[in-house]
Amino acid sequence: MMYDVITVGGGPAGMMASAAAAEGGARVLLLEPMERLGKKLNITGKGRCNVTNDCPVEELLRNVPRNGRFLYSAFSRFDSADVRAFFEVRGVPLKTERGNRVFPVSDRAFDISGALEKYLRELGVDIVRDRAEALLFREQALSGVRGEREQYEAGRVILATGGVSYPRTGSTGDGYRLAKSAGHTVQAPRGSLVPLCGPEALCAALQGLSLRNVTLRAYENDKKIFEELGEMLFTHFGVSGPLVLSASAHMRRFGERRYRLEIDLKPGLDEQKLDKRLLADFAKRPNSDLINALDELLPKKLIGPLVERSGVDPRRKVHDITREQRRQLAVLLKALPVEITGPRPVEEAIVTSGGVTVGEVDPSTMGSKVCPGLYFAGEVLDVDAYTGGFNLQIAWSTGHLAGSAAAESLW
């Protein structure tokens, strides 16, 4: 069968692109090699799916550190309010939580992917389980896609294959290969929103420790590049959790620059108030060893490593602790350092940074400037954002724009 538009990839960008193209009157084929659509979508937000971030377009753009301005047209034409309306009209009530993060009221990512798949079937989109092996050309013009099972003909193709993070969900970099075959330049992919590797001894000692309501600061050489209040986690390899993933998006020059984190364990206390707190805790047990006098201030697992780093004898009686030694403790409580040796592998990243060079893509259509009839949507492009629903908003907006533009170009 001849199609008007073929979408390669059944993730959020691909499903939205297919829906938008079908809404525009195109006969659409969606190719997806995995057993179900939206496999990666279904594990986002710990299975809850942070659908978008309820904020204006300019705020969306500020949260896209990689080529954000390229997305102005896409965000303007299909913003977070449009995304909310899209899903609520299709029977998925949404709620807004801290940081303007939007989730399904049900806390079920499957409700989002299910609503999309149902809508695609209502629109008459053909969904075929096949992996795209190559783009097809006839007389140097794009004419379709060759899959592992058969060939599919169409004059418009949308690549929405994702990046290379979480490859078990189908993101295996196929889109990069297909884009290169059409003459596009691909920026080397690397992980963004990725856990970070740290000092083995410290992280091993603190493995499994979760910290809440701490402020994390990140430094490139000695320049502060990130600061935020929230949660983080120590692991056997280093650090992870929402704060760390957000900080990692700012760390783009590993191997060229030195990175470190500082953890403010008591962000609600300035140095003067913290010293008073230490004095009050010590007054409750003046004859205790220091190591046994901090359990009201710190998680038990953290006390030993912090005292060791302070240089104060852990067996020193608290009534003998000097003002200078209290200051040494306070410095660490306000800025516990963690040197970062590098990111975890890109396969463990939430999103991929890098991809199809945006200078070769028309931002008003998501259409290729190199290969007429070819469009791009989602993570295959060289754009990525911070946590909080911004990366899914990129998928929805670029998918909607690519699908609409592909359909409009037919008439």
Side-chain angles (χ1 to χ4, degrees):
M1 179 178 175
M2 273 287 297
Y3 292 94
D4 297 315
V5 176
I6 297 173
T7 304
V8 182
M15 286 191 282
M16 184 61 77
S18 298
E23 287 174 339
R27 293 170 297 173
V28 181
L29 169 66
L30 174 56
L31 290 179
E32 168 55 50
M34 305 301 286
E35 69 278 7
R36 68 176 302 152
L37 300 180
K39 193 161 184 182
K40 185 176 178 182
L41 177 64
N42 290 332
I43 64 173
T44 61
K46 298 180 180 177
R48 297 176 62 219
C49 188
N50 186 178
V51 180
T52 184
N53 193 283
D54 190 11
C55 66
V57 168
E58 287 300 326
E59 184 66 18
L60 292 175
L61 293 170
R62 280 193 289 271
N63 281 274
V64 185
R66 183 77 170 176
N67 297 320
R69 297 308 300 183
F70 169 78
L71 296 169
Y72 182 82
S73 291
F75 282 163
S76 297
R77 297 187 191 187
F78 197 70
D79 63 11
S80 59
D82 295 317
V83 171
R84 294 193 63 152
F86 179 91
F87 286 106
E88 289 184 329
V89 163
R90 286 166 184 84
V92 186
L94 303 173
K95 60 183 177 179
T96 303
E97 298 185 357
R98 179 179 59 84
N100 296 322
R101 292 168 167 85
V102 178
F103 294 88
V105 170
S106 66
D107 287 328
R108 282 174 43 88
F110 285 101
D111 290 351
I112 297 296
S113 60
L116 274 166
E117 185 166 357
K118 179 183 177 185
Y119 187 48
L120 291 175
R121 296 191 187 282
E122 290 173 356
L123 289 167
V125 173
D126 284 349
I127 301 170
V128 173
R129 299 298 190 267
D130 199 355
R131 181 178 297 281
E133 288 193 331
L135 298 176
L136 296 176
F137 294 87
R138 184 179 297 118
E139 296 179 357
Q140 297 185 326
L142 184 64
S143 63
V145 175
R146 187 181 79 239
E148 290 179 339
R149 293 168 48 191
E150 56 183 289
Q151 292 190 168
Y152 311 93
E153 294 187 25
R156 309 290 184 273
V157 175
I158 303 171
L159 293 184
T161 52
V164 290
S165 58
Y166 288 103
R168 69 182 184 279
T169 66
S171 298
T172 56
D174 287 351
Y176 303 148
R177 175 177 51 78
L178 295 173
K180 287 179 180 178
S181 74
H184 275 274
T185 307
V186 174
Q187 302 300 318
R190 64 169 188 80
S192 184
L193 306 183
V194 64
L196 299 170
C197 299
E200 292 184 8
L202 176 66
C203 296
L206 298 179
Q207 179 179 349
L209 176 64
S210 178
L211 298 176
R212 296 186 176 186
N213 298 317
V214 298
T215 293
L216 184 69
R217 294 183 289 270
Y219 293 85
E220 183 179 83
N221 292 340
D222 291 319
K223 178 184 177 182
K224 185 167 67 175
I225 56 174
F226 173 85
E227 181 173 357
E228 192 172 305
L229 176 73
E231 304 175 13
M232 62 174 292
L233 171 72
F234 283 92
T235 71
H236 67 284
F237 56 77
V239 285
S240 189
L243 284 178
V244 172
L245 298 179
S246 293
S248 75
H250 298 261
M251 300 178 179
R252 299 178 175 272
R253 303 181 70 176
F254 286 106
E256 301 175 35
R257 303 289 176 88
R258 180 175 58 85
Y259 293 100
R260 79 175 191 279
L261 304 176
E262 287 183 357
I263 308 167
D264 185 345
L265 297 161
K266 296 296 169 183
L269 301 176
D270 60 23
E271 291 183 14
Q272 186 175 8
K273 290 180 180 178
L274 183 55
D275 190 54
K276 288 181 179 178
R277 171 65 190 274
L278 285 169
L279 284 169
D281 284 0
F282 291 171
K284 294 177 183 177
R285 45 180 84 177
N287 296 315
S288 294
D289 294 345
L290 174 60
I291 197 74
N292 298 321
L294 297 172
D295 51 355
E296 292 184 16
L297 190 65
L298 291 171
K300 184 168 182 158
K301 207 167 194 177
L302 185 54
I303 295 172
L306 185 136
V307 171
E308 180 182 351
R309 284 195 163 203
S310 75
V312 182
D313 183 355
R315 294 302 170 187
R316 189 179 181 88
K317 301 299 182 183
V318 295
H319 61 72
D320 289 332
I321 299 291
T322 66
R323 181 177 180 179
E324 174 59 24
Q325 288 171 328
R326 289 200 316 274
R327 192 193 68 80
Q328 291 170 228
L329 291 168
V331 166
L332 286 177
L333 287 167
K334 295 297 290 180
L336 179 66
V338 180
E339 293 292 330
I340 297 303
T341 57
R344 292 291 287 174
V346 64
E347 292 81 7
E348 297 180 25
I350 292 179
V351 297
T352 305
S353 181
V356 175
T357 300
V358 297
E360 299 170 356
V361 180
D362 184 344
S364 66
T365 63
M366 295 295 126
S368 170
K369 296 178 180 179
V370 176
C371 177
L374 184 63
Y375 296 79
F376 300 94
E379 201 175 341
V380 72
L381 289 160
D382 185 19
V383 291
D384 61 274
Y386 302 139
T387 57
F390 301 105
N391 285 289
L392 270 181
Q393 182 63 48
I394 292 173
W396 307 132
S397 295
T398 57
H400 191 272
L401 181 53
S404 300
E408 288 171 10
S409 72
L410 296 165
W411 321 119

